[in-house]
Amino acid sequence: MNQPRLVAFLIVPPFVLLDLAGPLDAFHAVIRNVAESGKMAPYRSYRTVVVSEHGGPVETGSGITLHTEPMRALEAMQVDTLIAVGGAVSHRPAVPDAVGEWLRDYAPRVRRVCSVCVGAFILGAAGLLNGRRATTHWLDTAMLQTCFPEARVESDPIYVRDEAVWTSAGITAGIDLGLALVEDDCGVDVALQAARRLVVFLKRAGGQSQFSPPLQEQVAAGAPFGDLHAWMSERLDGDLSVVRLAEQANMSPRTFARSYLARTGSTPAKAVERMRLEAARFALLDSEAPLKRIAARVGFGDEQNLRRAFQRQYGVTPVAYRERFGMGDGR
């Protein structure tokens, strides 16, 4: 029998309730799906525990009190994954020394260590971000880098995985992190089922790597090449070659390609594909149009090109994506 993986949440007040509840419910969606199936799952499910420094009642930022176990109780348990929640207030760290010291000693016992939002400050206090890529809430990335200069803090990702250490951006990004951990453990089908129960996307726009900003940020005024992106978004089924984009940007193709990569971190071709994929994704969710029509409308030409790009970027076929997130009941 597959023993459930134990996922422990270490909370340090003050913290946002959704930082805990989001990823917690991602794991419990898997637990409920297994229970309702009435079958033995071919993968290991989960059980969870919430701990704090001393245990007992802990108040969230919204005034709700949660019961917790003391963090040292984990020393008698076989914990698979530890997720840190909370750990900063008023733009400064708020991690007790005892928590950082305990986690520094305890972390080698678990398979992976993660954080949600400013929980990255807990990992930083334990020295677990040294030499690693990491992220946190966009409001606090600069502070995280200042407090832990040996970390390589990135401001754009929804989540970052650096070997056995995973960190996520703020608030609802904890759900993205939880689903990514489920996918890593159990596969994309199980993660999709959990996402469907939660009525959320398995992966946000930007695909598997989660490194690109959303389309609305790309076309925003003041964003790098924002005017060009707005122009592109209205012509997804047209000629968006480097030559045509360079002409619209009043640059030579070589200068444009070099400048675009330097300012956005992406090649023009990849940016065009992301914009077309995001448009296709919304079309799949908001309409019953056949794939052939959607592919032509967003510039992929035919459904085979759309299917390959969608699978590569999101790890799922357009048909499977629509079935799980389209016009169904979402349960």
Side-chain angles (χ1 to χ4, degrees), residues 3-85:
Q3 292 296 319
R5 302 176 193 270
L6 179 57
V7 180
F9 290 84
L10 170 62
I11 59 176
V12 173
F15 69 99
V16 176
L17 179 58
L18 189 54
D19 286 351
L20 170 66
L24 182 66
D25 272 339
F27 293 108
H28 275 268
V30 177
I31 295 170
R32 290 194 294 273
N33 284 338
V34 171
E36 291 176 5
S37 72
K39 301 176 182 178
M40 182 177 294
Y43 53 85
R44 295 174 66 185
S45 185
Y46 298 98
R47 60 189 182 95
T48 61
V49 62
V50 179
V51 303
S52 62
E53 181 179 5
H54 302 295
V58 176
E59 186 172 302
T60 72
S62 54
I64 295 174
T65 299
L66 300 176
H67 174 75
T68 65
E69 300 296 330
M71 62 186 184
R72 293 190 181 278
L74 297 182
E75 296 172 7
M77 304 179 189
Q78 289 188 326
V79 176
D80 176 85
T81 301
L82 188 145
I83 302 178
V85 179

Side-chain angles (χ1 to χ4, degrees), residues 43-286:
Y43 53 85
R44 295 174 66 185
S45 185
Y46 298 98
R47 60 189 182 95
T48 61
V49 62
V50 179
V51 303
S52 62
E53 181 179 5
H54 302 295
V58 176
E59 186 172 302
T60 72
S62 54
I64 295 174
T65 299
L66 300 176
H67 174 75
T68 65
E69 300 296 330
M71 62 186 184
R72 293 190 181 278
L74 297 182
E75 296 172 7
M77 304 179 189
Q78 289 188 326
V79 176
D80 176 85
T81 301
L82 188 145
I83 302 178
V85 179
V89 59
S90 301
H91 301 290
R92 61 180 177 81
V95 182
D97 290 342
V99 172
E101 292 169 2
W102 175 83
L103 183 56
R104 183 181 300 111
D105 293 336
Y106 183 77
R109 303 189 191 183
V110 301
R111 182 168 64 95
R112 62 189 173 196
V113 181
C114 315
S115 66
V116 178
C117 195
V118 293
F121 287 86
I122 303 174
L123 303 191
L128 301 178
L129 299 185
N130 293 346
R132 297 190 183 277
R133 295 165 47 247
T135 193
T136 187
H137 194 291
W138 63 271
L139 283 171
D140 299 299
T141 52
M143 180 174 65
L144 185 68
Q145 186 66 80
T146 298
C147 293
F148 307 108
E150 293 185 47
R152 302 195 301 275
V153 180
E154 301 179 13
S155 59
D156 285 337
I158 298 297
Y159 64 84
V160 169
R161 176 184 187 177
D162 191 323
E163 296 181 344
V165 177
W166 302 57
T167 54
S168 86
I171 318 297
T172 59
I175 302 175
D176 297 81
L177 175 67
L179 291 172
L181 295 171
V182 169
E183 181 177 354
D184 191 57
D185 293 337
C186 307
V188 66
D189 287 342
V190 176
L192 276 169
Q193 291 168 8
R196 185 169 185 263
R197 179 178 281 275
L198 296 174
V199 197
V200 298
F201 299 129
L202 175 59
K203 292 183 174 69
R204 302 193 194 190
Q208 186 172 1
S209 67
Q210 301 287 324
F211 283 108
S212 58
L215 178 60
Q216 56 266 33
E217 292 184 15
Q218 294 178 16
V219 302
F225 291 101
D227 290 342
L228 177 64
H229 289 151
W231 179 87
M232 292 161 61
S233 69
E234 296 174 356
R235 297 165 176 81
L236 293 178
D237 61 344
D239 178 10
L240 296 181
S241 64
V242 171
V243 172
R244 183 66 186 94
L245 296 178
E247 178 183 335
Q248 181 64 24
N250 294 316
M251 298 180 184
S252 71
R254 179 176 295 182
T255 299
F256 169 73
R258 186 185 306 118
S259 178
Y260 191 93
L261 178 60
R263 297 184 65 189
T264 69
S266 170
T267 65
K270 288 188 179 297
V272 169
E273 182 175 82
R274 282 201 309 269
M275 295 177 78
R276 285 173 168 161
L277 280 168
E278 186 167 349
R281 185 170 63 82
F282 280 111
L284 288 166
L285 295 175
D286 297 338

